[in-house]
Amino acid sequence: MKVTVDTAVCADHGQCIFSAPQVFEFAEDGKLVWEPSPDESLRASVEEAADVCPVQAIRIAD
């Protein structure tokens, strides 16, 4: 699974962090960082993170 975030669209709302804290987090500068190749076992939580993103900035590919 490959996870990308359109950083031009992402507004650092952080909703994804609540859904998939193993994949998404805020860096010290307050910007979103993420694991681009998380374990497949995290797919459901990453899909939920993409669904709840208010600006739909998260993309998942196989």
Side-chain angles (χ1 to χ4, degrees):
M1 169 174 48
K2 300 290 182 197
V3 177
T4 57
V5 177
D6 185 342
T7 56
V9 174
C10 177
D12 299 318
H13 291 282
Q15 296 300 310
C16 54
I17 296 170
F18 293 110
S19 297
Q22 307 92 334
V23 178
F24 301 96
E25 66 181 346
F26 284 129
E28 289 185 20
D29 65 359
K31 295 294 184 184
L32 184 71
V33 293
W34 64 96
E35 167 56 48
S37 300
D39 188 89
E40 188 63 30
S41 66
L42 299 172
R43 179 175 287 274
S45 61
V46 173
E47 288 177 347
E48 180 180 323
D51 287 343
V52 300
C53 177
V55 294
Q56 300 296 294
I58 300 170
R59 298 286 180 257
I60 303 167
D62 292 319

